[in-house]
Amino acid sequence: MDSIKTKKISKDEKKLLKKMYWRSFTLYSAVTPAKQGASGFSYAMQPFLDKFYTDQESKRQAMVRQMSYFNTNLAVYPFILGVVASMEKENSEKKDFNSESISAIKTSLMGPLAGIGDSVFWGVLRTIAAGIAVSLALAGNILAPLIFLLLFNIPVQILRWQSGKMGYILGASYISELYENGLINILTKAASIVGLAMVGAMTSQMVKLDITWNMLLKGKKVLETQKMLDQIFVGLIPLIITLISFYLLKKKNISINYLIFGIIIIGIFLSLFGIA
């Protein structure tokens, strides 16, 4: 923590952090099923990329990195921006920097921080603020809605600004040290594992398909297909759908739009025939 306090940020970096803070409000302004808030993340990072990269090809690669899937809680999101910005700076200054570590760290952070942010801010702070505001509203206080907004948003915005700055300082202080000690590859591997585990957990929660077709004999149900599949492997069909979609995206270069429409059409077909 002492290094965080003593680390000095230049005037140019402070300007970049301010731009990042204001741009961070646009995270979910252009959400897509495949990328979620990737375009908002890229927009918030752009001032740093313009500053750090003079070579156009390196900048292009950095911009592509920022357009990977991203989804997390808005209150803690600037911390990830700060860490990624500091790593992009290191990457622009060191030719042997492992750029894959940037995406790995970004992916591994968004899941755990989303859980913390949702629990603390949506689950606790919002409930407390709403409880106070409702009590005031029942007492006839016309300022109750304003008080709710202030009680909820002031702590969130303070955290957003401070966490963005802290993430930038932490990255600049420790990522370089890890790299010099040869630990960055270990960190990248660990972050990749956490990121894959997080994506796997999201897949099991977000991809749903239950088979409703059952085998009947003389009007009586003799086999419940979904229960049988669950006994073999819970979530088997969603996993197969996910793996096939991944294969078509990565190996066959099928457009995400074609995949979305294809899944919708298949879903309608399965529903009409009572299969799922």
Side-chain angles (χ1 to χ4, degrees):
M1 293 301 293
D2 291 336
S3 62
I4 295 176
K5 295 178 181 178
T6 57
K7 174 71 178 180
K8 291 184 179 180
I9 301 177
S10 67
K11 289 184 178 179
D12 286 340
E13 288 174 321
K14 286 181 180 178
K15 290 180 181 178
L16 292 173
L17 286 170
K18 287 179 181 178
K19 289 181 179 180
M20 180 189 79
Y21 169 77
W22 291 113
R23 286 175 173 233
S24 68
F25 287 95
T26 65
L27 177 61
Y28 295 123
S29 60
V31 176
T32 64
K35 300 287 188 177
Q36 291 293 321
S39 58
F41 192 98
S42 177
Y43 177 69
M45 283 297 301
Q46 196 59 45
F48 289 98
L49 303 184
D50 291 338
K51 178 70 175 180
F52 297 151
Y53 292 101
T54 55
D55 177 63
Q56 291 301 313
E57 177 58 24
S58 298
K59 183 191 291 188
R60 185 194 67 80
Q61 293 175 4
M63 292 173 69
V64 171
R65 275 195 298 275
Q66 308 318 316
M67 280 302 294
S68 61
Y69 177 92
F70 188 80
N71 186 19
T72 195
N73 182 275
L74 279 168
V76 296
Y77 151 59
F79 177 80
I80 303 175
L81 278 173
V83 172
V84 172
S86 66
M87 295 184 75
E88 290 289 0
K89 181 180 180 182
E90 292 288 327
N91 186 53
S92 67
E93 295 173 347
K94 297 179 179 179
K95 293 183 179 179
D96 59 343
F97 191 86
N98 183 4
S99 60
E100 292 181 1
S101 64
I102 301 174
S103 298
I105 296 288
K106 173 184 170 183
T107 304
S108 65
L109 285 176
M110 67 181 183
L113 288 182
I116 295 171
D118 289 346
S119 300
V120 174
F121 294 99
W122 288 114
V124 178
L125 180 60
R126 185 178 61 166
T127 303
I128 293 173
I132 294 172
V134 168
S135 298
L136 293 173
L138 291 173
N141 192 326
I142 62 173
L143 296 178
L146 178 61
I147 291 173
F148 167 75
L149 292 173
L150 292 175
L151 288 174
F152 179 75
N153 284 286
I154 289 176
V156 169
Q157 298 313 317
I158 291 174
L159 175 73
R160 282 168 54 80
W161 168 249
Q162 293 297 332
S163 66
K165 187 166 62 173
M166 184 175 70
Y168 186 77
I169 295 172
L170 276 173
S173 299
Y174 298 116
I175 297 299
S176 179
E177 184 178 344
L178 288 169
Y179 201 85
E180 291 172 1
N181 293 334
L183 298 175
I184 190 67
N185 291 330
I186 298 174
L187 178 65
T188 302
K189 186 69 174 179
S192 298
I193 293 171
V194 173
L196 288 172
M198 185 274 298
V199 172
M202 288 176 60
T203 300
S204 67
Q205 293 296 316
M206 298 175 68
V207 182
K208 300 290 184 182
L209 193 149
D210 293 328
I211 304 298
T212 57
W213 178 84
N214 299 306
M215 185 178 292
L216 302 177
L217 183 62
K218 295 182 179 180
K220 293 184 179 181
K221 189 185 299 181
V222 296
L223 176 64
E224 294 187 29
T225 307
Q226 188 59 51
K227 284 187 177 182
M228 183 191 69
L229 291 173
D230 289 341
Q231 290 175 356
I232 299 172
F233 191 113
V234 176
L236 178 61
I237 302 300
L239 176 62
I240 291 173
I241 293 172
T242 302
L243 292 176
I244 291 174
S245 299
F246 180 77
Y247 172 78
L248 293 174
L249 278 171
K250 297 295 291 185
K251 301 297 183 180
K252 299 298 182 179
N253 295 319
I254 302 298
S255 169
I256 183 65
N257 294 324
Y258 289 137
L259 279 178
I260 292 172
F261 284 116
I263 290 173
I264 291 173
I265 292 170
I266 292 172
I268 293 173
F269 174 83
L270 293 176
S271 179
L272 287 174
F273 286 87
I275 299 174

